[in-house]
Amino acid sequence: MQLSLLPPTGLNTIVLNKASRADMDGDAIGGTVHFRTPSAFDYSDQLHGGVTASGRLETRARTYGDQGLGGGIAGELSNRFGTDHRFGVYVSGYYEGRAYTNSEIRGAPSAHDDGSWGYLNASNSKGTSYPGLDPQRNAALTGFDSGVSSGTTRRFGGNGSLDWHGDDGARLYLRGSYAKALTTQDSMLSQFNGGNKAWIQSPNTDRYVLTVPSLSVRNYFETNPETAVLATAALGGETQVGEWKSAPELFYSEGHNNRPNHIEASARINQSDKYNNGSRIPLGGQSIGYSDNYPVALMNQAIFNAFDNSADVLPARRAGQLTEQFSGQRKWGGRLDISRDFSEQGGLLQSITFGVKAQTSNRNVTSRDWTNDFVANYVGKSVTWGSLGLTNGKYAQTYPGLYSWSLPRFNKSALFDLFYKYQFAQEADGSSFNSFDT
């Protein structure tokens, strides 16, 4: 269950069981968390209602020049009616929205995916960690990614219950809930790629020191959309037959966690294809320093200028990569719990509880990916994000207060247009490229 699907209202109690008991379902791996929704009989007043409203302001978004506004509203209403107020109805609903813009720094993907790390002190020109040194403390970062992650979150839903309480302890109920969360996330990153490494012997020693002869300036854009849905329904009751209590229930639940239309694109100074033969920018020496535990790019003016004008300088790489992932599960069934209370008899035996449950579930998972070829191969010449119309202005600073070069504001809709235009198109020289991967 996605935590974003938990409602801000419409929860009565949350019961945490660290271990399963004999009277609980036996299909839990460890502990269980039981979210109990209220009914009209949980309130002392016959008529109960409430409304809450909220607002929010994202200060980091304001720093980037975005609005960063959000807020929400929630309400609930319950009423007991009929003879002796034996019928009760409860309904609740909520809506929340948020617009955010945050700074992002990441070193692990750059080190893992692009090789932007090495041992600072080595025993040879291949970069083997110098003996006697802790390899973890000897490891040094040679590149990192930094940029802006922006998007929106919207979530809405509600729950309801219809209950009847008889004078003999009998109960009937019909309960249901629905929750949906919609998230968009667009990440625009500058990539200070120090994957080109060398180790130079220190004079008059057997130690080799890490250096970065040249550096690749790159931009990377990706989306991370998510749609999560959870719906539940239950029809049941409770009745007393002699000394025994029985509680039958029919239930149904359905959940979806989809990541539709994840798309990504990149541009790099050393792009190589049929129409580009780029090269890295010379650097030499160390590429990363630190200030207040943040990595700082040790760059020259040529590297700074390439970052600062990246939309019009860096050759575009592929004409987009699109990934679609869908996951959904449905579960339905019934259960019958039977119990008897012996506590009034004063013996060691306090109660007997047993039951039976039958359920059926199914799950469908789909994952598909399409990767287009290099965009220059379709167009027939070297192109940049700017010349393709993939940018809408700039962020004044990549990371305000830390990294001062500007960063393009990416045009996501233009990237989708570009992707679909060339998804099954022939290239400029008449050759074809199969963009369907899985």
Side-chain angles (χ1 to χ4, degrees):
M1 177 180 175
Q2 298 289 324
L3 294 180
S4 60
L5 296 176
L6 290 178
T9 185
L11 286 177
N12 185 30
T13 56
I14 300 176
V15 180
L16 173 63
N17 295 286
K18 295 183 179 180
S20 296
R21 302 192 307 269
D23 59 346
M24 297 170 59
D25 284 344
D27 54 359
I29 298 176
T32 59
V33 181
H34 186 191
F35 299 97
R36 295 178 179 174
T37 57
S39 72
F41 293 92
D42 291 318
Y43 301 98
S44 58
D45 295 332
Q46 174 189 342
L47 180 65
H48 167 82
V51 176
T52 59
S54 63
R56 65 188 301 154
L57 174 65
E58 305 270 345
T59 58
R60 196 58 171 175
R62 305 292 286 187
T63 301
Y64 278 110
D66 295 338
Q67 289 187 345
L69 301 177
I73 187 169
E76 59 180 0
L77 179 66
S78 69
N79 187 28
R80 296 195 299 272
F81 58 93
T83 304
D84 296 329
H85 298 157
R86 297 184 183 223
F87 289 92
V89 61
Y90 172 89
V91 292
S92 70
Y94 67 92
Y95 174 87
E96 284 188 348
R98 175 195 177 199
Y100 63 90
T101 305
N102 293 318
S103 301
E104 182 176 357
I105 304 175
R106 60 185 199 181
S110 181
H112 181 271
D113 299 339
D114 300 322
S116 293
W117 76 280
Y119 291 116
L120 186 61
N121 297 281
S123 60
N124 52 46
S125 61
K126 295 181 180 180
T128 305
S129 184
Y130 193 79
L133 298 179
D134 182 351
Q136 292 187 10
R137 293 183 177 274
N138 193 27
L141 197 65
T142 60
F144 64 93
D145 304 340
S146 179
V148 179
S149 178
S150 62
T152 61
T153 59
R154 292 185 297 126
R155 62 189 195 123
F156 52 89
N159 58 65
S161 67
L162 179 62
D163 295 78
W164 172 79
H165 286 189
D167 56 3
D168 57 353
R171 297 189 302 132
L172 289 175
Y173 61 84
L174 174 63
R175 295 169 184 162
S177 67
Y178 179 84
K180 187 171 186 177
L182 301 170
T183 301
T184 65
Q185 182 183 22
D186 302 336
S187 296
M188 179 67 236
L189 299 170
S190 292
Q191 296 184 309
F192 186 78
N193 181 268
N196 181 30
K197 305 177 293 289
W199 284 265
I200 299 176
Q201 188 172 14
S202 180
N204 302 319
T205 72
D206 63 348
R207 182 169 53 89
Y208 291 74
V209 180
L210 173 66
T211 184
V212 180
S214 60
L215 191 128
S216 176
V217 174
R218 304 178 180 182
N219 276 345
Y220 176 72
F221 172 81
E222 69 170 344
T223 66
N224 187 29
E226 181 184 55
T227 300
V229 179
L230 178 65
T232 66
L235 173 64
E238 188 176 284
T239 185
Q240 189 89 17
V241 180
E243 300 294 329
W244 294 91
K245 182 184 295 183
S246 64
E249 182 184 78
L250 298 174
F251 58 85
Y252 174 85
S253 64
E254 180 174 346
H256 297 270
N257 189 359
N258 302 327
R259 298 179 181 273
N261 296 333
H262 165 92
I263 196 166
E264 57 187 77
S266 63
R268 59 180 60 180
I269 195 71
N270 58 322
Q271 171 61 19
S272 179
D273 50 48
K274 295 177 181 178
Y275 302 92
N276 287 289
N277 188 22
S279 60
R280 296 170 176 264
I281 299 177
L283 181 61
Q286 297 295 305
S287 59
I288 299 293
Y290 288 88
S291 175
D292 295 330
N293 294 321
Y294 285 97
V296 176
L298 303 178
M299 60 175 65
N300 53 37
Q301 192 63 44
I303 295 174
F304 181 91
N305 291 340
F307 274 128
D308 202 41
N309 302 282
S310 58
D312 300 314
V313 172
L314 305 185
R317 190 164 169 77
R318 295 191 181 275
Q321 178 180 353
L322 179 67
T323 304
E324 295 179 345
Q325 295 177 329
F326 301 92
S327 175
Q329 179 170 308
R330 296 175 176 85
K331 182 170 68 174
W332 62 92
R335 59 187 295 168
L336 174 63
D337 296 325
I338 298 176
S339 62
R340 181 175 177 179
D341 186 5
F342 294 94
S343 60
E344 295 183 355
Q345 298 183 9
L348 294 176
L349 181 62
Q350 296 294 304
S351 65
I352 293 178
T353 302
F354 61 92
V356 62
K357 178 181 178 181
Q359 67 179 34
T360 300
S361 64
N362 62 56
R363 184 181 182 187
N364 298 313
V365 178
T366 302
S367 179
R368 305 183 71 182
D369 181 271
W370 297 265
T371 303
N372 283 350
D373 198 9
F374 302 127
V375 63
N377 294 348
Y378 294 110
V379 179
K381 62 180 180 179
S382 178
V383 289
T384 64
W385 281 0
S387 64
L388 291 170
L390 296 180
T391 58
N392 285 327
K394 294 180 177 181
Y395 293 103
Q397 296 185 46
T398 295
Y399 194 119
L402 191 59
Y403 309 131
S404 60
W405 62 85
S406 63
L407 186 70
R409 289 180 178 264
F410 202 84
N411 187 338
K412 179 172 59 176
S413 61
L415 177 58
F416 277 104
D417 293 340
L418 181 74
F419 174 84
Y420 289 120
K421 178 179 179 179
Y422 293 116
Q423 184 178 8
F424 302 110
Q426 283 192 326
E427 298 185 351
D429 61 2
S431 60
S432 60
F433 182 87
N434 184 11
S435 66
F436 182 64
D437 288 348
T438 57

